[in-house]
Amino acid sequence: MSRRARLATLTAALALAAALALAHAALAAAPAPEFIIKLATVAPADSPWSALLEKYKTEVETKSAGRVAVKLKLGGALGDENETVLKCKRGTVEAVGASTGALASLVPELNVVELPFLFETGEQADYVIDGVLTAKLDPLFKERGLVLGFWSENGFRHFGTKDKFVKSPADLKGKKMRSQESPVHMAMYRAFGASPVPIPTTEVPTALATGSVDGFDQSALYTIAASWHKSIKYFTVTGHIYQPAAIAFNKEFFEKLPPELQKLLIDEGRAIQSKGRKGVRKIFPDLLKILRDDGVEVYTLTPAERVPFVTASRVVYDEFRKTHGKVASALLDDVLKSLKTAPK
């Protein structure tokens, strides 16, 4: 069975995208929608993310009685993450699904979520994001022309490399590593002695194939879904950055919607976000098996091996406070305080 077929099978097992032909048929016979939402994302088809968005599309279209139509633009069809985030702010598209690293290009305070080794588990991240950050980020999104809809999951990021495992910061020294276009990600690589090379997501396969970079960091799911693993030999499970994703709406478009439709868009998204997170986390062991079956060696850091990474990453927190301002620094204080009572 091919890699894509196996990933599609795993996705189906999550039950995030049931066959809803009857609902679609009913909508096809309904009057033309009053509102059309183009939702742009780099999430590939046949992935848990696309399944979650298909579920969201069906719920919104059905419960709005056809008043809203959601047009999913998957796989970077309308551009890379930073590009589509900007398109959403400008109103070229009505909604965007992107990683927090990309959304932080407009809402820089959001970079607090992606500080290295901030969260040890997904449950900790959920506790902080849902209980502390969402309410504080809502007004910041609106100030930048966006409305925070709901959260999704990219997951913990790990290192993929061509020549050896990354068992210590010394293993990254001097390496050219593809970095997300994020100041926090680039600061992390510099702290580990690597040379970060910011490259848009859609251009990474070419950069790996041509040798422009020696490796990357990414979640196991995206690594496989985008076939990045075809250009590496080693995958080190480090979990150094937890990366959620979020669906956001163009503020001007959103605020023109009737109040009941505004509520529907938010409520339906937040009703499925927990299932989306759990689904992605559930298949992690299967994803590692896919990597191994495709010839990639996999290694998980020991607790002792994590310590030098954690220690080296502390300078990134100091840099974040200096470069992101008082509001972001206060957010970090809130997060660190919340982590004291978060589940382990």
Side-chain angles (χ1 to χ4, degrees), residues 30-332:
E34 298 174 45
F35 305 98
I36 296 175
I37 298 174
K38 293 190 298 292
L39 196 163
T41 179
V42 299
D46 298 325
S47 69
W49 305 296
S50 63
L52 185 74
L53 293 175
E54 290 284 359
K55 173 70 171 175
Y56 179 67
K57 166 186 169 70
T58 298
E59 294 296 326
V60 167
E61 292 179 345
T62 301
K63 293 181 180 180
S64 70
R67 296 175 66 193
V68 178
V70 180
K71 307 292 186 182
L72 300 179
K73 304 296 182 180
L74 302 170
L78 297 183
D80 196 35
E81 284 202 306
N82 284 17
E83 184 180 356
T84 50
V85 167
L86 188 57
K87 284 182 176 181
C88 187
K89 172 183 170 62
R90 292 172 174 170
T92 307
V93 296
E94 291 75 25
V96 64
S99 67
T100 43
L103 286 162
S105 63
L106 286 183
V107 189
E109 295 87 353
L110 195 53
N111 279 316
V112 70
V113 179
E114 299 196 7
L115 286 166
F117 297 99
L118 180 64
F119 302 118
E120 295 181 8
T121 66
E123 291 70 29
Q124 281 187 344
D126 297 346
Y127 180 86
V128 172
I129 290 170
D130 296 345
V132 176
L133 288 178
T134 298
K136 294 179 180 292
L137 289 168
D138 274 333
L140 298 178
F141 269 68
K142 289 175 182 174
E143 286 176 13
R144 280 59 177 254
L146 301 173
V147 172
L148 175 58
F150 59 98
W151 300 98
S152 183
E153 173 109 345
N154 187 28
F156 280 97
R157 296 174 73 98
H158 315 284
F159 292 118
T161 45
K162 295 181 177 182
D163 62 342
K164 63 180 179 179
F165 290 118
V166 180
K167 296 183 179 182
S168 72
D171 291 328
L172 286 170
K173 188 173 183 180
K175 287 192 181 300
K176 295 178 295 180
M177 297 292 288
R178 182 269 169 174
S179 173
Q180 189 159 353
E181 300 159 287
S182 158
V184 165
H185 288 231
M186 290 189 284
M188 177 198 72
Y189 273 123
R190 289 192 294 267
F192 294 159
S195 298
V197 183
I199 298 175
T201 306
T202 51
E203 298 176 16
V204 173
T206 299
L208 289 167
T210 60
S212 298
V213 293
D214 302 312
F216 58 84
D217 76 317
Q218 185 54 270
S219 69
L221 178 54
Y222 197 92
T223 295
I224 294 168
S227 296
W228 290 9
H229 69 301
K230 297 295 186 181
S231 299
I232 59 169
K233 294 292 184 183
Y234 302 91
F235 192 81
T236 311
V237 178
T238 54
H240 52 275
I241 287 177
Y242 171 74
Q243 186 170 62
I247 284 70
F249 301 94
N250 171 267
K251 179 173 178 285
E252 184 177 356
F253 167 81
F254 187 88
E255 291 184 345
K256 288 180 179 178
L257 294 172
E260 70 273 15
L261 293 183
Q262 292 182 12
K263 185 175 187 300
L264 176 69
L265 290 177
I266 300 297
D267 289 352
E268 289 306 312
R270 296 189 181 180
I272 63 174
Q273 68 183 18
S274 177
K275 179 181 284 189
R277 289 164 168 166
K278 289 177 181 177
V280 170
R281 294 167 193 173
K282 181 179 179 181
I283 65 173
F284 182 67
D286 300 297
L287 296 173
L288 297 185
K289 184 177 187 304
I290 289 175
L291 288 173
R292 293 187 178 100
D293 289 347
D294 282 358
V296 178
E297 296 186 47
V298 178
Y299 179 81
T300 300
L301 285 189
T302 67
E305 288 169 335
R306 287 175 62 88
V307 172
F309 285 100
V310 174
T311 300
S313 70
R314 293 305 97 174
V315 298
V316 182
Y317 289 59
D318 296 335
E319 184 172 332
F320 173 83
R321 290 187 185 277
K322 291 177 182 177
T323 59
H324 283 67
K326 292 182 179 179
V327 172
S329 186
L331 276 179
L332 177 54

